[in-house]
Amino acid sequence: MRTISTSEITRNIKEMCMEVNIRLSDDVKRALISSRQKEESVIGNQILGQLEENMDIAYENQIPICQDTGMTVVFLRIGQDIHIQGGLIEEAVNEGIRQGYQEGYLRKSVVGDPLIRENTRDNTPGVIHYEIIPGDQLEITVAPKGFGSENMSRVFMLKPADGVEGVKKAILETVEAAGPNACPPMVIGVGIGGTFEKCAVLAKKALTRDIGSHSHLSHIKALEEEMLERVNCLGIGPGGLGGRVTAIGLNIETYPTHIAGLPVAVNICCHVNRHIRRTL
């Protein structure tokens, strides 16, 4: 049995919150930079150049890439041979978020009640997803999510008869409806299967997977490639001003589902697809 202290979890969460809002992960940077070679629109190319410049300025000056520093989503994959010592893990995570957003001078965007809407002033609480895995390690993924793109996301409760064509239609419908509001070029996470809530978590998790990686399932890999191509034929383009590069990545996660259903979630993210992972 390995012991991990809550103070260590808090420290890592704090550091990750500060880093992820200032520096894009390598996979997103590569995808953004390479997208300029594919963009045929002059204006679209200029916008992509500005986004790349913004990314560099943020890192050089240690300031946020985007003014919307998001609601913090945390995925915890907890080895079953770990003992957490020093308090509740949820409190440790939220304390890390609190310290990271306060010490990093990051915008606090969370309201404590969805109707009364009074700001909590420290960006807590975060949204935490737990998974128990074999072993004695703790894998932490921090993924702040801005709401310009989050608001453009959708869940579809399709019929089994809708099949793969129904899934394709749901993806394209969501992206078309989002248009410029999701700050394209986008990264698109898709969850297929499970239940109403499970497909949404799958879609969110898909956004944390490296751009350019693919599902180990051959038919899902083919679907990822096809749908990225079809999304980029919609003509929305960078900034929504037309062009070839509407999305720089599209990842799909799947899960078994009920005989009577085909849940599909499409979670859209702007090009500032923030995710960072550490293993303790």
Side-chain angles (χ1 to χ4, degrees):
M1 181 69 69
R2 177 169 170 245
T3 298
I4 296 179
S5 70
T6 51
S7 61
E8 186 178 0
I9 294 170
T10 293
R11 177 180 60 80
N12 277 276
I13 294 284
K14 178 189 80 169
E15 293 171 356
M16 293 166 80
C17 285
M18 293 167 70
E19 181 180 342
V20 77
N21 275 294
I22 290 169
R23 180 183 181 276
L24 279 180
S25 59
D26 291 339
D27 64 300
V28 179
K29 284 194 293 184
R30 282 193 301 268
L32 188 62
I33 292 169
S34 66
S35 67
R36 294 189 68 184
Q37 300 168 3
K38 305 169 189 173
E39 184 52 71
E40 299 163 359
S41 160
V42 174
I43 294 178
N45 219 291
Q46 289 176 347
I47 292 171
L48 291 172
Q50 290 170 351
L51 295 179
E52 187 179 337
E53 183 182 6
N54 176 71
M55 175 181 68
D56 292 337
I57 290 171
Y59 181 66
E60 288 167 9
N61 292 279
Q62 294 292 285
I63 55 177
I65 305 163
C66 176
Q67 51 85 23
D68 184 353
T69 52
M71 187 168 190
T72 310
V73 180
V74 180
F75 290 91
L76 297 177
R77 302 182 75 230
I78 306 168
Q80 64 179 8
D81 297 324
I82 290 174
H83 171 63
I84 307 296
Q85 181 176 283
L88 295 176
I89 190 169
E90 186 167 333
E91 291 180 358
V93 170
N94 280 316
E95 181 59 27
I97 295 170
R98 180 179 296 108
Q99 291 180 17
Y101 274 74
Q102 289 179 337
E103 294 181 28
Y105 299 100
L106 304 172
R107 195 182 84 180
K108 289 77 176 175
S109 304
V110 175
V111 294
D113 183 289
L115 298 180
I116 296 173
R117 307 196 72 79
E118 182 179 348
N119 199 295
T120 63
R121 303 183 186 277
D122 58 12
N123 224 56
T124 68
V127 176
I128 309 170
H129 300 288
Y130 300 91
E131 181 182 355
I132 304 300
I133 60 174
D136 64 355
Q137 293 186 318
L138 172 61
E139 183 183 289
I140 304 170
T141 301
V142 172
K145 190 66 168 65
F147 263 61
S149 56
E150 187 78 350
N151 284 338
M152 297 295 104
S153 303
R154 295 177 65 183
V155 172
F156 300 79
M157 299 305 290
L158 302 181
K159 301 178 182 69
D162 293 324
V164 69
E165 292 305 316
V167 174
K168 294 176 184 179
K169 182 182 177 183
I171 295 169
L172 293 175
E173 206 176 278
T174 303
V175 175
E176 281 190 291
N181 296 316
C183 300
M186 315 167 189
V187 182
I188 302 163
V190 180
I192 306 173
T195 53
F196 178 84
E197 81 282 5
K198 180 65 174 180
C199 69
V201 175
L202 290 171
K204 182 75 71 186
K205 190 176 180 181
L207 288 175
T208 69
R209 219 177 73 207
D210 283 356
I211 294 174
S213 66
H214 287 290
S215 170
H216 68 282
L217 301 171
S218 60
H219 66 294
I220 299 300
K221 176 180 183 291
L223 185 59
E224 289 173 333
E225 293 172 334
E226 177 189 346
M227 293 315 298
L228 180 59
E229 176 64 24
R230 291 183 65 176
V231 162
N232 282 327
C233 288
L234 292 174
I236 296 169
L241 297 175
R244 176 71 179 161
V245 183
T246 296
I248 57 175
L250 190 150
N251 295 338
I252 300 174
E253 294 288 327
T254 64
Y255 195 82
T257 193
H258 191 276
I259 56 171
L262 179 56
V264 177
V266 184
N267 195 197
I268 294 179
C269 191
C270 65
H271 80 280
V272 186
N273 182 27
R274 293 161 289 200
H275 56 273
I276 185 172
R277 185 172 291 111
R278 289 186 184 182
T279 301
L280 308 185

